[in-house]
Amino acid sequence: MRALPATAGRGAVACAAAPVPRRSLLLSTAAAGAALNAEQLPLRLTGGAAAKIRAPADAAQAVTFTSTDDALAWTNKDNRRLLHVVYRVGDLDKTIKFYTECLGMKVLRKRDIPEEKYTNAFLGYGPEDSHFAIELAYNYGVDKYDIGAGFGHFGIGVNDVAKTVELVRAKGGKVTREPGPVKGGKTVIAFVEDPDGYKFEILERPGTPEPLCQVMLRVGDLDRAISFYEKACGMELLRKRDNPEYKYTVAMMGYGPEEKNAVLELTYNYGVSEYTKGNAYAQIAIGTDDVYKTAEVVKLFGGQVVREPGPLPGISTKITAILDPDGWKSVFVDNIDFAKELE
């Protein structure tokens, strides 16, 4: 998997969970939200490995793969990077204050859309064209969300876990796990919670180039999830660790070495096949050179496309939105269009 050039950036591309009002759709325009429910066209495969896979009816963007191997080869050459993670908060100013003062993030940009009654803020540890970032969404008048049991935590690498924890405590933050070695390992970690109850794992990683380093989600079938993210999303299995003493297994998935890139941490708890997802966490955005081909590969390997590929109404940025086998959403964003958004 080639590294994404530094010209790509983030994607303003989220959509609300079903229980959240229409106004909360995290897109650049209201019409874009409606597009997420566009009718999907079935994928018909004939002829086994030599089957041809065709895109939905978009006259200018017909896609054909001659085989599954052809589709995988394209995915492995695509320029991909985790761009940002999107989630909802009940008090934007309070959350920004916690992230900047306690976790050392910077506000990268902020935008208010009064006609749609929401505000977005982008925070992180470096420019969006080269670093993983957070997109916070505040919907006017909504002060609380259900995080659910499926979302796990975000990971932040720091030089000194103990000092970070003491700063969080001094600022009135909640420490839920004191600094110490991770269960079954040697890495020093701690856990804290932000004002909305999102958990952050603080990891001791001196000098890391990507401090915002993990998004952890729980899955009901780890092997199925690994296969999907490898084949449909083009990620690598960076490492896998089983902890029978504590009855869980984790798999780190991503587009580059863990010490230099943000990764998706998939966690399987023995015997648990399903989780509630709530309406707080939204999705991860991923850069791609071609959203049309991406959508076809996702369909081929069992994913659900919930927003057919194409430009968002009102702007030129092309996206496609998908669900993995556990129902977690990812949005793929055109790299060139994204770079233009950051200009």
Side-chain angles (χ1 to χ4, degrees), residues 155-176:
I156 295 180
V158 300
N159 291 332
D160 191 317
V161 170
K163 286 185 178 180
T164 301
V165 167
E166 287 311 306
L167 178 59
V168 170
R169 202 191 313 274
K171 295 286 185 179
K174 184 178 181 181
V175 178
T176 59

Side-chain angles (χ1 to χ4, degrees), residues 10 100 105-110 121-129 131-134:
R10 49 112 352 235
T100 55
M105 295 186 197
K106 295 181 180 179
V107 177
L108 305 174
R109 55 195 171 106
K110 188 177 179 181
F122 302 85
L123 295 95
Y125 294 97
E128 292 175 67
D129 61 3
H131 288 75
F132 191 52
I134 283 173

Side-chain angles (χ1 to χ4, degrees), residues 51-62:
K52 289 188 177 182
I53 307 150
R54 298 189 182 276
D58 185 329
Q61 298 291 343

Side-chain angles (χ1 to χ4, degrees), residues 231-243:
K231 295 177 181 178
C233 298
M235 293 186 185
E236 296 178 62
L237 174 60
L238 303 173
R239 64 185 172 97
K240 185 178 179 182
R241 186 180 76 246
D242 185 36
N243 294 276

Side-chain angles (χ1 to χ4, degrees), residues 94-112:
K94 187 175 181 180
T95 302
I96 290 174
K97 181 178 176 67
F98 178 83
Y99 288 5
T100 55
E101 294 185 1
C102 297
L103 301 180
M105 295 186 197
K106 295 181 180 179
V107 177
L108 305 174
R109 55 195 171 106
K110 188 177 179 181
R111 66 182 181 193
D112 185 42

Side-chain angles (χ1 to χ4, degrees), residues 56-101:
D58 185 329
Q61 298 291 343
V63 178
T64 300
F65 290 117
T66 58
S67 67
T68 55
D69 288 343
D70 184 28
L72 286 172
W74 177 82
T75 301
N76 289 331
K77 291 187 293 184
D78 191 21
N79 290 306
R80 294 187 178 180
R81 178 174 70 86
L82 298 182
L83 301 177
H84 67 264
V85 60
V86 187
Y87 53 100
R88 305 171 183 92
V89 298
D91 186 327
L92 189 60
D93 291 337
K94 187 175 181 180
T95 302
I96 290 174
K97 181 178 176 67
F98 178 83
Y99 288 5
T100 55
E101 294 185 1

Side-chain angles (χ1 to χ4, degrees), residues 3-4 16 24 26 40 48 50 52 63 78 99-100 114 128 137 142 177 202 220 309 314 325 331:
L4 184 66
S24 67
L26 315 183
Q40 298 178 44
K52 289 188 177 182
V63 178
D78 191 21
Y99 288 5
T100 55
E128 292 175 67
V142 183
R177 200 267 202 193
I202 312 300
V331 173

